[in-house]
Amino acid sequence: MSDPIIADEPENTRIERHASWAELFFDLVAVAGVAALAHILGSELDLAALGLYTLLFLSFWLSWTTFMLYSNVAAGKTRVIRLMVGMFGLGVMVASVPGVAHSVLGHDGDSRPLTVFAIAYIATRVYGSRSWRRGEVLLDFPVVQYSTGLLPWTVSIWVDGQWKLVLWSVGIGLDLLLILVVSGDKILKQIQSRFTAQATTRRRRRPHARSDGDGAVIHGVSVDPVHFSERLGLFVIIVLGESVVQVIGAAADAHYDVGLLATGIASFVLLAGMFGLSVVFGYAGLPHLRAGRIPARAALGLHCLVTGVVATVAVSLSSVVKHGSDSLPDQERWLLCGAVAAYFALGVVTGVASHSSDLQRTISRIITGIVIPLLLGLLATDAGGRTLVVWMALVVLAHLWFERRLAPVQGRA
């Protein structure tokens, strides 16, 4: 048997394609999991709730990423049944979220929802990681093909109490660490070295054996950038749409008055403004980003943060609608102001990384998008929630106005 061939992905061999109906269907189920996390922050907001919210959000996002990258690379060879099985696994995870929240935050001692969630997560990730064709190594995001981070999750099935969450955190942390330090090119070289060593050993043992020339072929594959950016952008759009639905649901149970109307308008302006910054004046769902300026791995990491922040803003807006004209508790005020500030901080990062803003524009984004929301969180202790939402909406509108005025053409994705 001959040595394996390292085959790079040929350039300019892919035609531009768009997300399929099956992929959009899959995205909707994944976003349903993000929406279900409102059960966690919608009850009692503390560090435990924030930690659980972050942990479960990352588990949904990693599961979605595994299948999203598979369908991106497989293109026309994507197996719809594989996406459907992944959707079912995500559905089980979604259904388990209320029980997980009640078990952990309500301290009722019932660990069954946590076990169900863990099993569904493990099965979904493992099944997704086995989607790749033999010999393919994803250069941009190789962690989706390996299951190292799932080992602590597997151990957690036989552990009771808070140790389950500790093991989940270790597993997610391992995956995030691998995302940062593992290089697809390095893995490709390691596989090449291993196969070459094995072939050399076989030749030494059977020096007179005839090579059949049918050695294993190892492909280094990369994402389709157009389809990749579209999927990231669509996911952000669906999260924003689900955020609007959450606000509408909260308004349906509130007392109808002028204040509720003002809150609804301001909330819609805030979310629609985020759509404008992330999609119209951004790229891949990331505000102020330009095409081809950052690696796919960095775009995925920023996408995780942006979608998490947007989902958090939705929970905060729903809370404001429920509180009416009352001032928000300190934790909820900081959640709203901190989430908006985090969104604009990520916009500053993407703007600087993609060289889409000069020093003056970066400073103005920091002052209006980060400093003002944080000052409101610090000083507006007596301000009503509705007033805070109006302020946040004005901040977003100001950013949209500057983007339209300074970059009417270049900023459009």
Side-chain angles (χ1 to χ4, degrees), residues 15-28 64 67-76 78 80 83 224-238:
I15 61 173
E16 181 175 331
R17 66 186 182 91
H18 300 282
S20 66
W21 295 119
E23 289 172 322
L24 292 174
F25 192 14
F26 184 87
D27 290 351
L28 288 170
W64 172 78
F67 286 91
M68 182 273 292
L69 291 173
Y70 155 66
S71 61
N72 177 281
V73 174
T78 301
V80 175
L83 295 182
D224 179 341
V226 175
H227 180 267
F228 176 75
S229 63
E230 183 182 66
R231 289 296 298 278
L232 296 188
L234 286 172
F235 193 87
V236 172
I237 291 173
I238 298 173

Side-chain angles (χ1 to χ4, degrees), residues 37-360:
L37 299 181
H39 289 279
I40 298 175
L41 297 183
S43 53
E44 182 177 355
L45 183 60
D46 54 17
L47 290 178
L50 281 173
L52 182 62
Y53 179 88
T54 302
L55 183 60
L56 297 187
F57 176 84
L58 288 172
S59 66
F60 277 110
W61 183 81
L62 283 169
S63 299
W64 172 78
T65 300
T66 300
F67 286 91
M68 182 273 292
L69 291 173
Y70 155 66
S71 61
N72 177 281
V73 174
K77 298 180 180 179
T78 301
R79 297 181 179 179
V80 175
I81 187 63
R82 189 166 288 275
L83 295 182
M84 297 300 168
V85 173
M87 287 167 56
F88 181 81
L90 284 171
V92 175
M93 292 168 61
V94 173
S96 305
V97 168
V100 171
H102 185 66
S103 177
V104 175
L105 304 178
H107 307 288
D108 66 354
D110 186 4
S111 62
R112 287 175 298 179
L114 283 80
T115 301
V116 171
F117 187 91
I119 293 174
Y121 174 71
I122 294 168
T124 303
R125 285 288 309 278
V126 169
Y127 186 74
S129 66
R130 299 294 183 267
S131 302
W132 303 87
R133 289 179 291 178
R134 186 175 181 180
E136 286 185 341
V137 176
L138 181 61
L139 302 178
D140 308 287
F141 211 72
V143 70
V144 299
Q145 296 177 276
Y146 300 92
S147 306
T148 304
L150 296 180
L151 294 177
W153 284 79
T154 304
V155 176
S156 73
I157 296 175
W158 292 277
V159 175
D160 294 326
Q162 297 296 321
W163 284 105
K164 282 184 178 291
L165 299 179
V166 173
L167 290 169
W168 291 6
S169 301
V170 172
I172 294 293
L174 282 174
D175 278 333
L176 296 179
L177 180 63
L178 290 174
I179 291 171
L180 294 175
V181 303
V182 174
S183 166
D185 292 323
K186 184 177 180 180
I187 291 177
L188 197 61
K189 292 178 181 179
Q190 289 175 348
I191 295 176
Q192 179 187 20
S193 300
R194 185 167 66 248
F195 273 87
T196 301
Q198 291 173 353
T200 302
T201 301
R202 284 192 295 268
R203 284 196 296 268
R204 287 175 179 174
R205 291 177 179 176
R206 297 183 296 173
H208 301 294
R210 183 167 60 91
S211 175
D212 56 12
D214 295 326
V217 180
I218 303 173
H219 293 274
V221 296
S222 298
V223 297
D224 179 341
V226 175
H227 180 267
F228 176 75
S229 63
E230 183 182 66
R231 289 296 298 278
L232 296 188
L234 286 172
F235 193 87
V236 172
I237 291 173
I238 298 173
V239 171
L240 284 166
E242 180 59 39
S243 301
V244 174
V245 172
Q246 288 188 40
V247 174
I248 292 173
D253 297 328
H255 175 67
Y256 287 12
D257 56 17
V258 176
L260 176 63
L261 177 62
T263 306
I265 293 175
S267 298
F268 180 78
V269 169
L270 176 58
L271 295 173
M274 288 182 169
F275 164 80
L277 293 173
S278 293
V279 180
V280 179
F281 295 106
Y283 182 76
L286 304 178
H288 310 311
L289 184 64
R290 299 295 178 262
R293 301 293 178 85
I294 62 176
R297 186 182 307 193
L300 268 174
L302 291 169
H303 175 266
C304 176
L305 297 175
V306 167
T307 51
V309 165
V310 171
T312 305
V313 170
V315 175
S316 299
L317 294 178
S318 300
S319 177
V320 171
V321 171
K322 294 176 182 177
H323 278 87
S325 59
D326 298 336
S327 58
L328 292 176
D330 291 343
Q331 300 93 327
E332 296 188 13
R333 184 181 71 254
W334 273 111
L335 184 67
L336 173 61
C337 297
V340 173
Y343 175 83
F344 285 107
L346 292 170
V348 170
V349 171
T350 55
V352 172
S354 61
H355 307 289
S356 64
S357 60
D358 53 22
L359 179 60
Q360 181 180 0

